[in-house]
Amino acid sequence: MDANDEEDRLIRDVRDGQLEAYEALIHRHAARLKAFISMRLPVPHLVDEIAHESFVFAYRHLKDFEIGTDFGKWLRAIAHNLVRKEVLRYSRSGKNQEKYLEHCLVERSSAAGDAWRPESPVVAFLEECVHSLPEAQRELLGERYRWSRSTRELAQKTGRSEAWVRTNLCRIRSALRACVEGKLDSAEEARSTPS
């Protein structure tokens, strides 16, 4: 019996309710599936999570698998869709975080100095991160968000191009987001570490 016939037999056994046959299928395909996922999404905990979800999905939909075709290829197609879904979710999350960060910057700059109080850890961390920026970057942020200057006005004021202003504002927002995320991760670690 060749490898494909053996695999088809295992799939039939799983369909007949023999769970140990599915365990054998997992052992056959786990390493290759994880390698496939890690090439597309090199985040170790997500590789294991997506591999697990792929096997669960495949098990639940095994009745839809056509015996005689490539089970490994079918698994990789499932994983590909799950990776794509995760990347889209992360992209939406990143955009939402950036919008929230920009909202916090606008709120911070429109509030009256000492009267402004952080309402959440994100806002408090943002305040710390803004203070850690070089002075020129803080000034550019202040002009953009406190005084609502357009990129054209900022370009004229700084003697730079609008593209330079947009690029620098984007870099500053990215640095602030990374700074805030790092502080949130550290705070989460501190909370989850037993004392």
Side-chain angles (χ1 to χ4, degrees):
M1 182 181 289
D2 73 4
N4 291 335
D5 292 338
E6 173 69 14
E7 196 159 270
D8 292 345
R9 184 190 61 75
L10 287 170
I11 292 167
R12 285 189 190 92
D13 289 348
V14 175
R15 287 179 175 174
D16 290 339
Q18 298 177 35
L19 291 180
E20 60 279 354
Y22 198 65
E23 188 176 336
L25 285 171
I26 290 171
H27 287 300
R28 280 177 169 233
H29 293 280
R32 186 163 181 203
L33 183 65
K34 286 181 181 182
F36 172 85
I37 295 166
S38 66
M39 287 173 47
R40 284 149 184 80
L41 190 69
V43 181
H45 74 277
L46 288 177
V47 170
D48 289 336
E49 190 176 308
I50 290 175
H52 174 77
E53 286 181 39
S54 300
F55 282 117
V56 169
F57 183 93
Y59 178 77
R60 289 182 179 155
H61 295 86
L62 201 58
K63 66 185 181 312
D64 301 328
F65 176 73
E66 187 179 329
I67 291 182
T69 60
D70 189 336
F71 183 73
K73 192 173 186 178
W74 187 61
L75 267 176
R76 291 188 297 279
I78 292 167
H80 173 77
N81 288 330
L82 291 171
V83 165
R84 192 174 49 144
K85 183 177 161 186
E86 182 63 26
V87 168
L88 287 172
R89 186 193 68 75
Y90 181 80
S91 175
R92 279 193 303 270
S93 171
K95 286 177 184 171
N96 289 339
Q97 286 175 4
E98 195 164 298
K99 284 179 186 173
Y100 180 61
L101 185 61
E102 190 160 335
H103 167 76
C104 289
L105 286 167
V106 170
E107 288 295 311
R108 176 185 171 277
S109 65
S110 64
D114 293 330
W116 184 77
R117 295 283 181 263
E119 299 171 8
S120 75
V122 173
V123 177
F125 293 150
L126 175 60
E127 180 78 4
E128 292 173 24
C129 293
V130 167
H131 284 301
S132 70
L133 289 173
E135 186 177 343
Q137 291 182 350
R138 282 198 313 273
E139 286 176 15
L140 190 61
L141 276 179
E143 290 288 328
R144 175 69 181 105
Y145 296 105
R146 174 165 283 176
W147 305 114
S148 300
R149 307 256 193 255
S150 69
T151 54
R152 177 177 291 160
E153 291 171 314
L154 290 172
Q156 290 170 351
K157 184 170 182 158
T158 60
R160 305 283 188 145
S161 68
E162 286 185 59
W164 181 91
V165 171
R166 281 192 299 273
T167 300
N168 277 280
L169 285 170
C170 183
R171 286 180 182 154
I172 293 167
R173 285 191 300 264
S174 295
L176 287 173
R177 187 169 89 191
C179 177
V180 170
E181 287 175 352
K183 288 180 181 293
L184 285 169
D185 289 346
S186 296
E188 183 62 33
E189 264 182 45
R191 274 197 304 273
S192 64
T193 303
S195 29

